[in-house]
Amino acid sequence: MTAERRPAKIRSAEIRAPKHAHSQALHQRAEQFFPGGVNSPVRAFRAVGGSPPFIDRAQGAYLFDADGNRYIDYFGSWGPMILGHAFPPVVEAIERAARNSASFGASTSAEADLAEHIVACYPAIEKMRFVSSGTEATMSAIRLARAATGRKLIVKFEGCYHGHADGLLVKAGSGVATFGIPGSAGVPKEIARLTLALPYNDLKALKAAFAAHPKTIAAVIVEPIVGNAGCIPPAPGFLSALRKITASHGALFIVDEVMTGFRVALGGACRLYSLDPDLITLGKIVGGGLPVGVFGGKRVFMDLVSPLGPVYQAGTLSGNPLAMAAGLATIGYLQKHEREVYPRLEATSKAVAEGVAAEAARAGILLTTNRVGSMWTWFFTKGPVTNYTRAARSDTKAFGRFHRAMLDRGIWLPPSQFEAAFISTAHGDAEVKATIAAARAAFASLREN
Ligand SMILES: *Cc1c(COP(=O)(O)O)cnc(C)c1O
């Protein structure tokens, strides 16, 4: 935006508002083909209003849209892009693999190469299987847990998202130890009833559920740090208690690290909180931006999977060579540079999360900042935010206005109050400074309106 085009006295909110004519046209065209114009619902920006910019390309910490606007990226493709966009070693690995054909449907050495890295980072994973999404990973882990225990019920926690399989799209029932209700049209209530949805960080509720349903709970699945209700850290001792309680009731403990894996530490939340679960699910970063999911864990359970055992699970594109190459380049880099990468992510995240929070405080706007490493959320509510009920008290309209005010200033935050923000190793001091300055102006514009 050129300075000449600025009228003398215009409200700060409008000074650099980017143009979106091309994106709007592209969105209208897309609406003919895709429900809401998108292939995944949050991309439609319904939670924050306005139509979503269409992306042309991205480099490092920056996204460029169809109208030539540039944004600092704070959602990283919802998690995978921890090394920044178009990171050369990842691009080269994909190009090299593509020259040898995009898919064989037969085994390659790259699968075991990536598996070796994963086992080194997640010692609880003795054996694994590659799938093509986080949804497939959690769905398969649940099937395996039911087979291993001969039990039907699953416990999950409110606000945790584990992909869109029927049994995991379940809301809480009216009481903590009662059965779940469908969280989506099309999920039969008979299936939802097999899932108990409990409040996160609430051990009493968990104990009550085990007491009310003796010997029928197959597994407890948890986002070790909630990301999908906004960032909510586990209360001290919560996760280790999950491990103990599941073990004492003969249920499996499934840690869903699709978001946190390789994000909060190389060894994910399991490393951070010294967890030894029965099964772990991975996704997002493990594919370096290509579609990869993993479910894995103790050998006794994984050996129940077909063709060794009776649990059927398969995938035409599972272990796809391009996806393996991108994953290997990403995880290999993270492992080699662990000592620089994670302290850098921590320092940059802390600077931006706290810097923006300080601007809010200065503007008299009430925010609660939850952060674990390079995932965080600014909740527009008085804290503490320790579970979904408390997160839901946020002023989502204020968040929507903040989101738009930041977007207008070249900062792309996740387009919902209930999503975690992420950064990459490509983000540095310049991006932090620009973001804090944008937040100062954005908060000022919120107060004007
Ligand atoms: C994103 C996510 C999933 C689903 O992964 P997809 O690849 O989108 O299917 C599952 N669990 C968690 C914790 C996630 O963040």
Side-chain angles (χ1 to χ4, degrees):
M1 294 297 124
T2 53
E4 303 79 347
R5 292 207 296 106
R6 280 186 205 173
K9 273 255 174 188
I10 190 161
R11 283 220 325 276
S12 58
E14 288 162 4
I15 288 178
R16 279 175 297 161
K19 295 196 164 166
H20 291 296
H22 283 97
S23 281
Q24 272 160 11
L26 291 171
H27 187 60
Q28 273 165 18
R29 180 176 66 145
E31 280 178 321
Q32 297 172 23
F33 301 114
F34 313 117
V38 292
N39 284 299
S40 195
V42 271
R43 295 180 197 169
F45 273 37
R46 291 287 164 96
V48 290
S51 96
F54 270 54
I55 304 297
D56 228 21
R57 67 193 173 85
Q59 185 66 55
Y62 291 91
L63 300 166
F64 299 86
D65 76 10
D67 293 277
N69 302 304
R70 189 182 82 159
Y71 307 90
I72 301 177
D73 178 5
Y74 282 102
F75 73 115
S77 183
W78 304 90
M81 310 312 285
I82 195 167
L83 297 175
H85 291 282
F87 187 61
V90 176
V91 174
E92 283 152 25
I94 296 170
E95 283 175 352
R96 219 177 307 123
R99 279 195 286 274
N100 291 330
S101 179
S103 185
F104 314 114
S107 297
T108 67
S109 61
E111 293 156 72
D113 292 343
L114 180 53
E116 273 177 6
H117 285 282
I118 292 170
V119 167
C121 301
Y122 295 83
I125 299 183
E126 295 171 347
K127 271 193 185 179
M128 73 196 77
R129 184 154 274 172
F130 287 117
V131 293
S132 298
S133 68
T135 293
E136 270 184 90
T138 54
M139 182 186 80
S140 307
I142 298 286
R143 182 180 303 147
L144 179 53
R146 285 180 167 144
T149 57
R151 299 174 180 182
K152 281 185 193 164
L153 297 185
I154 298 297
V155 169
K156 75 178 284 286
F157 296 94
E158 291 164 33
C160 288
Y161 176 69
H162 303 290
H164 63 92
D166 282 352
L168 291 167
L169 284 183
V170 170
K171 291 196 288 194
S174 51
V176 287
T178 62
F179 297 101
I181 52 174
S184 162
V187 174
K189 64 179 184 310
E190 290 81 357
I191 289 181
R193 284 173 58 84
L194 298 178
T195 304
L196 307 173
L198 307 181
Y200 184 75
N201 274 336
D202 186 341
L203 288 174
K204 256 203 206 138
L206 185 72
K207 287 175 187 161
F210 272 105
H213 305 286
K215 296 195 166 69
T216 42
I217 296 174
V220 173
I221 185 167
V222 69
E223 274 189 83
I225 301 155
V226 185
N228 288 292
C231 179
I232 305 175
F238 176 63
L239 296 170
S240 52
L242 292 189
R243 169 67 287 182
K244 281 205 201 90
I245 294 167
T246 46
S248 73
H249 286 89
L252 269 57
F253 181 35
I254 306 173
V255 175
D256 181 359
E257 295 237 45
V258 170
M259 184 182 287
T260 51
F262 305 104
R263 167 61 61 186
V264 294
L266 187 65
C270 285
R271 166 94 53 94
L272 216 53
Y273 303 111
S274 307
L275 299 176
D276 185 30
D278 299 302
L279 297 175
I280 294 176
T281 52
L282 296 167
K284 299 195 168 117
I285 292 172
V286 76
L290 269 69
V292 180
V294 177
F295 70 101
K298 304 292 180 211
R299 192 170 286 114
V300 285
F301 303 125
M302 291 308 294
D303 282 349
L304 295 173
V305 175
S306 179
L308 279 189
V311 179
Y312 194 70
Q313 186 282 326
T316 301
L317 293 176
S318 295
N320 172 269
L322 268 57
M324 293 295 106
L328 254 177
T330 301
I331 304 308
Y333 185 94
L334 290 174
Q335 211 171 13
K336 190 162 167 207
H337 300 277
E338 180 184 4
R339 291 198 179 166
E340 300 105 74
V341 163
Y342 291 93
R344 178 185 167 88
L345 289 171
E346 166 65 24
T348 313
S349 307
K350 181 175 160 70
V352 71
E354 293 180 4
V356 168
E359 292 301 334
R362 201 163 297 153
I365 290 169
L366 210 57
L367 282 193
T368 299
T369 307
N370 279 0
R371 183 179 70 85
V372 180
S374 61
M375 60 187 275
W376 74 89
T377 299
W378 295 296
F379 290 100
F380 280 67
T381 183
K382 188 164 156 285
V385 176
T386 53
N387 59 31
Y388 178 69
T389 307
R390 286 173 180 240
R393 285 180 199 152
S394 299
D395 183 346
T396 53
K397 289 218 172 73
F399 175 83
R401 288 196 300 274
F402 176 61
H403 183 272
R404 177 54 58 175
M406 291 295 271
L407 198 70
D408 287 348
R409 290 168 177 79
I411 312 292
W412 190 314
L413 303 175
S416 162
Q417 173 72 95
F418 307 112
E419 298 287 351
F422 303 113
I423 57 155
S424 72
T425 49
H427 292 68
D429 290 343
E431 288 74 28
V432 171
K433 274 206 192 98
T435 304
I436 292 172
R440 184 180 312 143
F443 288 130
S445 80
L446 292 192
R447 300 200 57 191
E448 281 168 30
N449 293 337

